Amino acid sequence: MRPGNPEALAVPYDPGRIEAARYLFWEQHGVFSPKATGPEKGTGSKAPFVIAIPPPNVTGSLTMGHVLGESVRDLIIRWARMEGRETLYIPGMDHAGIATQNMVEKKLRAEGRTRQDLGREAFLKEVWDWKEQYGGLIFKQERRLGTTPDWSRERFTLDEGYSHAVLHVFKKLFDEGLIYRGRYIVNWCPRCMTALSDEEVDHQESQGSLWYIRYPLKDSDKHIVVATTRPETMLGDTGVAVSPHDTRYAKLVGKFAVLPLVRREIPIVSDDMVDPKFGTGAVKITPAHDPNDFETGKRQNLPELIVMDEAGVMNDNAGDFRGLDRFEARKRIVAALQDAGYLEKVEPHTNSVGHCSRCDTIIEPYLSWQWFVRMAPLAAPAIEAARKGKVKFFPSRWKKVYLHWLENIRDWCISRQLWWGHRIPVWYRGDEMVVSLESPEGEGWRQDEDVLDTWFSSWLWPFATLGWPEATPDLARFYPNTLMVTGSDIIFFWVARMIMAGYHFTGESPFPHVYFTSIVRDAQGRKMSKSLGNSPDPLAMMEKYGADAVRFAMVQTPTGADLLFDEKRLEMGKFFANKMWNASKLVLMRLGDEDLTTVKESQLRLTLADRWILSRFANASKDVTRNLKTYRFAESAQALYSFAWNEYCDWYLEMAKPRWALADLGDAMTAEQRGDLRTARWVAWKVLDGILRLMHPFMPHVSEELWQAIPHDGDTLATAAWPKAKKSWLDVQSEREVEFLQSVVNAIRNLRVESKIAPGRAVPVVVRGTDAQLDLLERLRSQLQPLARIETLTLSRDGQRPPVAASAVVEGAEIFLPLDGLIDLDEERARLSREAEKLLNDLEGVKKKLRNQDFLGKAKPEVVEKEKARLSQLEETLEKLKRAQESLSVSRD
RNA sequence: GGGCGAUUAGCUCAGUUGGUAGAGCACUUGCUCGACAAGCAAGGGGUCACUGGUUCAAGUCCAGUAUCGCCCACCA
């Protein structure tokens, strides 16, 4: 046992002062790395507990969103550690292909250079340098939060071993026929100049136009009118389609139209893709610039004519419009059509337009050679896993979202026209193509220029971080992980794909549970974004309130909805920490120098107050733990907070003070008094110790600091045992009795204030009640008096009611403050009337219920009993209030 | 066009099996009584969005409406 250290708490609570030092302290004690304590694998309560961080972008810096996720992950990891589990929190970063490349290119641009100037190799060196210099800033910031990842196991999606896993997976899927190369329309960002997956496109509603354009018919003075939202692509039209069921156009099928402006003849075809009710029922077909048209073109054997380059600039096929940006081209083409009389009309039209999720540029459907993963076979086991509950989501409604996506999954475009990333392990020589992790033997092989989608590496995260595909000890011990905590915004990007990869490559789900955190928004409900500047700086928040306060506030988020961040929330945690700081200081001052760890419970002289707080503590620790188990963090924190503050601090510490004061007697203490003192010390210490343990996962720094200051066993609270609710401490009787005491004290306090008695003035109190009540109050006399500032407490079974007194009724017991001359009789009468009126209201409600035969017959018996008891309680109270009123009237006369 | 979520005190949010509405902040009043003014004590404040249904009983279950938000969808 280590003695307490009162000096440590002599100064006011200052989070900034203690937090940094505590982090180093934990590192010195090696609490971050897993310690083998139980079986190697399995899901038992002693199996290793493993969480992998959702790897932040190497370019990233800490946002409130990260803070939320990290607070939750570390909360659970710390709790599991205290439960005696071997814990591993795996840190790491994502190379974040597009985001990082954009950032470095931006820096180059500022220096007047481009990546093309440098060439691939030199550019990559720039990025690596940049990564060395600025990358990982987020982890420097994160340490401030006090999280406990095992830094020695930090991984990067582009490190050597991880890269090997990625390329290995590419080859394996290729060999299995699940990866293929094809020429299709993909989502293309003309600014990033790369293909994107469907998930990397954000659709936004926008107010556009629907242009109706006349296409003259060949050898005729008639025309067919097509409607389009994208007139600039008409230069690439290679057909016009109508519905086979549309009689209006039936005789035109097989004929030709002449494309305005370029005078190219294109066939009119019939195709089921056309909805006769939309627009004019005739659709221009641009196979190279629209995914629908691409399919139609294939069916109808129409040529694919590309009129735009990869930067969204019109190319040679665009004739006079060559060299124009796509939007400028749109304006010019519309104007030209209008001038030549081809434009019939323009209607306003809202449609949703795809934007690059990285740079917000409007996506261009672009025909190109790309690599794809065939997803349906991978999705099947992931679907089954969720259906059978092998993967559970919290909140559970995400299951539906997940299943809907997987059941309608489309192939995944994984090639990116970038340099920063895993280069596709495919080699070409003439018509030959080899998929290989090594450069093939012989001359003239050229490697595919593209790299893989970043998510094609992160979907392996739960096992590739542990050394897969090698059969490493870590993999054997820590896979599958125990829990995934992440934002619901990446459920498709990442979570679903990890589960698919888990099943395909390891034969099992990478984790049994997924907990989705809220999305953090600003007070007006807007998403946090750099451009809006509405994201609070987490470091500034931690500076101002302390990391503990930030953690405490962030984990108490709604689990269903988004979190509207309000800085005010942070105060609660800071105030709570401060409260516990001062409470600990008080307890520590009164503990004396006795070694409390050797005290046996059987030697104690437990009073009612002691039994009560121990019982309440047992209940509280049960609540805190149960709510952690079900990921109800707000409830868990709340249970801790209200127990510690409203029960331990507000009541127990006050009730213990009289016994602590026995210490002043010194040698004059009797043996019994000595026992009372020791008991009051032990209980206060024991419960405080328990509170600090429960507090630790939420507020690690301050709890550790306080725990170190009070007498304790062991090196660090971080590895101290989690409190178990002791059955022997549960004591319903004591809880009921103290509740009565509290009601009496509250009633007296209320009377004091209502009667405008000076706070410092002690008052006489008379209580009339049952033997049991009076007996109880007699036992609690020494605690009751200071709590309610009582001068003399008279307990009387049949005694006279004081003639002039303020009075209240608590559970049938009458409480009087006999203050002749001090209280205003009129006020007191008015107060009693108001009180009685309230009761009468309640009484009516109860009576009505009890007159209802259906209620008496159908409600559960215990509910009926409760109502009946309440009725008599109310009647009795009312009766006594009336008597009090009467006696006041009498005394006046 | 589908799906999901939200709607409870002035603000941010709890409210686990249906059974007398809660917290923090804000507000009112009073407190330098040796832990704590980042505090203590006592208070005020809610027709639980609306309508209907189930039930003895609905913030809680069901249906619909409204408003806000999110996600998905090949809406020329």
Side-chain angles (χ1 to χ4, degrees):
Chain A
M1 145 115 174
R2 316 203 175 181
N5 173 21
E7 304 299 313
L9 304 185
V11 292
Y13 171 58
D14 175 6
R17 187 174 60 77
I18 63 173
E19 289 178 352
R22 277 300 156 202
Y23 200 79
L24 298 175
F25 169 85
W26 292 320
E27 282 191 308
Q28 280 158 15
H29 283 84
V31 309
F32 300 73
S33 52
K35 305 277 183 306
T37 55
E40 276 214 353
K41 274 199 111 155
T43 50
S45 62
K46 285 292 165 197
F49 195 105
V50 185
I51 297 181
I53 191 175
N57 290 356
V58 64
T59 60
S61 61
L62 204 64
T63 66
M64 290 315 287
H66 292 125
V67 168
L68 168 57
E70 290 298 282
S71 298
V72 169
R73 283 184 289 273
D74 198 56
L75 165 66
I76 296 186
I77 279 286
R78 281 185 183 270
W79 166 53
R81 191 179 288 125
M82 292 177 76
E83 288 273 19
R85 307 267 299 253
E86 176 181 12
T87 54
L88 173 58
Y89 182 14
I90 307 167
M93 284 181 293
D94 195 308
H95 67 282
I98 301 181
T100 308
Q101 178 158 330
N102 280 351
M103 201 163 274
V104 175
E105 283 194 272
K106 193 173 165 190
K107 179 200 135 204
L108 288 180
R109 254 201 313 284
E111 299 164 358
R113 298 189 293 171
T114 68
R115 73 173 149 121
Q116 286 78 10
D117 295 343
L118 272 74
R120 187 162 192 146
E121 212 168 308
F123 176 74
L124 286 179
K125 189 176 176 311
E126 284 280 331
V127 186
W128 278 105
D129 287 350
W130 191 92
K131 186 239 170 196
E132 288 314 310
Q133 199 174 348
Y134 302 106
L137 167 70
I138 193 166
F139 286 145
K140 291 186 192 108
Q141 297 174 328
E142 190 186 311
R143 297 163 68 93
R144 181 70 186 81
L145 197 59
T147 61
T148 53
D150 181 356
W151 295 113
S152 73
R153 282 179 169 81
E154 182 178 338
R155 296 303 299 267
F156 182 47
T157 49
L158 267 179
D159 69 31
E160 199 184 332
Y162 202 103
S163 296
H164 175 256
V166 172
L167 302 183
H168 171 83
V169 157
F170 184 95
K171 179 160 169 50
K172 181 168 160 58
L173 290 176
F174 179 83
D175 292 343
E176 291 168 336
L178 293 175
I179 278 185
Y180 61 93
R181 185 167 185 253
R183 188 168 182 260
Y184 294 99
I185 297 262
V186 292
N187 305 297
W188 184 271
C189 175
R191 202 214 62 81
C192 300
M193 299 249 257
T194 178
L196 301 171
S197 66
D198 295 337
E199 289 67 41
E200 286 166 297
V201 177
D202 294 334
H203 293 273
Q204 296 164 24
E205 288 269 296
S206 72
Q207 193 58 242
S209 302
L210 193 58
W211 285 273
Y212 288 74
I213 307 171
R214 300 187 183 115
Y215 283 16
L217 296 170
K218 184 190 175 190
D219 304 326
S220 160
D221 53 358
K222 299 214 166 81
H223 52 257
I224 185 167
V225 179
V226 299
T228 181
T229 53
R230 301 209 48 206
E232 69 277 16
T233 65
M234 67 162 287
L235 304 176
D237 285 3
T238 56
V240 171
V242 298
S243 167
H245 313 292
D246 194 335
T247 51
R248 291 175 294 174
Y249 299 118
K251 53 180 188 282
L252 293 182
V253 174
K255 302 240 162 55
F256 284 82
V258 181
L259 199 55
L261 308 183
V262 291
R263 307 205 178 285
R264 192 150 37 78
E265 293 178 9
I266 54 176
I268 298 171
V269 300
S270 88
D271 195 285
D272 276 322
M273 63 87 73
V274 180
D275 172 6
K277 290 191 284 294
F278 188 92
T280 62
V283 187
K284 62 191 264 316
I285 303 297
T286 323
H289 291 279
D290 182 277
N292 263 326
D293 293 5
F294 178 75
E295 296 299 325
T296 310
K298 286 276 186 226
R299 279 195 300 274
Q300 303 291 344
N301 257 320
L302 300 175
E304 293 151 359
L305 182 65
I306 300 179
V307 296
M308 237 179 254
D309 67 13
E310 68 268 17
V313 173
M314 308 310 287
N315 68 12
D316 290 348
N317 291 329
D320 296 345
F321 302 96
R322 174 193 323 115
L324 293 178
D325 174 78
R326 51 190 172 149
F327 298 114
E328 182 59 25
R330 175 183 296 180
K331 279 188 213 153
R332 300 271 192 94
I333 287 169
V334 168
L337 290 169
Q338 173 124 44
D339 289 348
Y342 291 116
L343 191 64
E344 181 157 301
K345 60 172 172 171
V346 186
E347 283 178 352
H349 181 74
T350 44
N351 61 346
S352 95
V353 177
H355 291 67
C356 173
S357 61
R358 274 294 146 208
C359 71
D360 212 38
T361 300
I362 292 180
I363 290 300
E364 191 61 39
Y366 189 66
L367 182 60
S368 54
W369 283 97
Q370 304 289 345
W371 288 92
F372 298 87
V373 181
R374 225 179 283 287
M375 295 306 281
L378 297 177
I383 290 171
E384 190 185 306
R387 288 218 182 105
K388 292 197 168 160
K390 298 221 171 12
V391 189
K392 287 204 177 79
F393 299 104
F394 301 84
S396 59
R397 63 191 164 83
W398 291 106
K399 176 177 167 182
K400 214 171 169 178
V401 177
Y402 166 91
L403 284 175
H404 181 260
W405 185 75
L406 284 176
E407 284 160 357
N408 298 283
I409 198 159
R410 289 149 58 183
D411 287 354
W412 176 13
C413 174
I414 51 168
S415 42
R416 296 290 177 274
Q417 287 63 48
L418 305 171
W419 288 348
W420 176 242
H422 304 93
R423 192 157 172 185
I424 292 179
V426 176
W427 309 78
Y428 308 93
R429 183 170 69 183
D431 290 343
E432 293 175 273
M433 183 180 91
V434 173
V435 177
S436 164
L437 275 59
E438 310 289 326
S439 170
E441 300 279 319
E443 291 296 307
W445 289 99
R446 178 177 56 80
Q447 188 177 3
D448 197 303
E449 293 292 323
D450 294 348
V451 301
L452 292 161
D453 180 5
T454 294
W455 299 99
F456 189 84
S457 54
S458 27
W459 73 330
L460 313 175
W461 191 250
F463 44 92
T465 47
L466 295 170
W468 187 91
E470 311 314 323
T472 61
D474 268 9
L475 190 65
R477 194 166 185 86
F478 302 123
Y479 186 82
N481 301 171
T482 314
L483 174 68
M484 170 54 57
V485 177
T486 190
S488 54
D489 51 340
I490 53 175
I491 184 170
F492 307 138
F493 272 118
W494 196 46
V495 177
R497 286 176 181 155
M498 275 190 290
I499 295 168
M500 289 189 273
Y503 274 100
H504 194 76
F505 301 114
T506 73
E508 56 191 326
S509 176
F511 29 68
H513 286 184
V514 182
Y515 175 83
F516 288 111
T517 58
S518 321
I519 308 287
V520 183
R521 300 177 173 280
D522 72 4
Q524 285 95 55
R526 298 173 305 181
K527 214 163 182 168
M528 297 284 181
S529 83
K530 273 183 198 154
S531 50
L532 278 173
N534 60 348
S535 179
D537 174 7
L539 293 176
M541 294 298 109
M542 288 190 264
E543 223 40 64
K544 191 164 167 193
Y545 300 96
D548 286 333
V550 171
R551 292 172 59 125
F552 191 69
M554 294 311 284
V555 300
Q556 296 191 63
T557 60
T559 44
D562 293 348
L563 165 73
L564 300 193
F565 180 81
D566 180 1
E567 199 179 314
K568 274 274 172 202
R569 295 172 62 92
L570 302 181
E571 279 187 348
M572 200 196 322
K574 186 176 183 184
F575 294 171
F576 181 42
N578 181 244
K579 183 73 182 180
M580 292 318 297
W581 182 277
N582 286 304
S584 303
K585 180 159 85 181
L586 168 66
V587 172
L588 193 47
M589 284 188 316
R590 299 299 145 94
L591 283 186
D593 43 19
E594 202 167 353
D595 183 351
L596 296 168
T597 52
T598 61
V599 171
K600 292 211 175 59
E601 258 186 85
S602 55
Q603 306 170 317
L604 297 173
R605 291 164 52 85
L606 293 178
T607 64
L608 175 55
D610 299 326
R611 289 198 303 275
W612 167 74
I613 198 67
L614 290 173
S615 182
R616 295 303 301 153
F617 173 72
N619 275 311
S621 63
K622 215 167 60 187
D623 276 359
V624 171
T625 308
R626 194 192 59 226
N627 284 312
L628 283 179
K629 277 189 182 140
T630 48
Y631 310 123
R632 304 161 66 91
F633 308 120
E635 287 85 341
S636 186
Q638 210 42 241
L640 165 67
Y641 180 95
S642 64
F643 170 75
W645 197 316
N646 303 122
E647 305 201 80
Y648 181 74
C649 292
D650 287 351
W651 288 95
Y652 183 74
L653 293 183
E654 295 305 324
M655 292 195 284
K657 278 177 183 174
R659 278 181 293 163
W660 288 340
L662 292 171
D664 298 340
L665 297 176
D667 292 341
M669 258 187 291
T670 64
E672 287 186 353
Q673 285 173 327
R674 221 171 273 286
D676 286 341
L677 174 60
R678 181 190 294 132
T679 301
R681 285 172 167 173
W682 185 87
V683 174
W685 165 72
K686 193 71 185 171
V687 176
L688 176 60
D689 169 88
I691 288 170
L692 295 175
R693 287 170 198 251
L694 294 176
M695 197 176 171
H696 187 68
F698 295 92
M699 312 183 84
H701 307 91
V702 68
S703 56
E704 177 83 73
E705 189 77 12
L706 295 175
W707 194 74
Q708 295 290 342
I710 66 171
H712 61 281
D713 266 324
D715 291 333
T716 164
L717 180 55
T719 53
W722 186 252
K724 287 216 167 31
K726 268 197 178 178
K727 278 219 178 75
S728 62
W729 283 0
L730 291 173
D731 186 341
V732 184
Q733 173 76 8
S734 298
E735 293 202 22
R736 239 194 346 255
E737 290 176 348
V738 170
E739 251 168 61
F740 176 66
L741 162 83
Q742 291 174 328
S743 305
V744 171
V745 170
N746 286 337
I748 297 170
R749 285 172 174 173
N750 179 263
L751 288 178
R752 296 177 54 106
V753 170
E754 295 283 349
S755 310
K756 300 197 169 53
I757 293 161
R761 179 179 179 139
V763 291
V765 172
V766 178
V767 180
R768 301 205 317 171
T770 65
D771 286 337
Q773 288 171 331
L774 298 183
D775 182 54
L776 179 57
L777 292 179
E778 184 57 51
R779 279 192 285 144
L780 292 167
R781 182 182 282 273
S782 65
Q783 278 131 18
L784 195 53
Q785 289 194 293
L787 283 170
R789 286 240 144 198
I790 298 172
E791 178 190 62
T792 52
L793 176 63
T794 312
L795 303 171
S796 94
R797 176 77 184 89
D798 307 303
Q800 290 291 330
R801 58 173 56 249
V804 183
S807 65
V809 183
V810 174
E811 290 181 35
E814 293 168 283
I815 295 166
F816 302 97
L817 267 60
L819 293 166
D820 200 355
L822 270 180
I823 56 170
D824 181 324
L825 291 182
D826 287 331
E827 285 242 342
E828 176 62 8
R829 264 192 295 270
R831 196 184 63 78
L832 288 172
S833 302
R834 283 198 304 273
E835 204 64 33
E837 204 174 321
K838 248 191 263 172
L839 286 175
L840 214 54
N841 242 324
D842 293 353
L843 193 62
E844 270 318 302
V846 178
K847 274 185 176 165
K848 199 175 149 195
K849 238 181 194 176
L850 288 170
R851 276 198 302 265
N852 185 340
Q853 285 308 312
D854 285 331
F855 174 73
L856 294 173
K858 293 180 182 171
K860 282 177 282 185
E862 61 266 31
V863 174
V864 177
E865 278 315 303
K866 225 168 121 188
E867 286 302 313
K868 282 183 176 164
R870 191 158 169 248
L871 176 72
S872 58
Q873 179 81 263
L874 283 170
E875 281 175 333
E876 189 187 345
T877 307
L878 200 56
E879 178 58 29
K880 286 173 175 159
L881 282 184
K882 275 191 186 138
R883 292 229 299 276
Q885 279 178 292
E886 281 161 19
S887 84
L888 284 185
S889 314
V890 170
S891 68
R892 186 189 213 176
D893 299 334

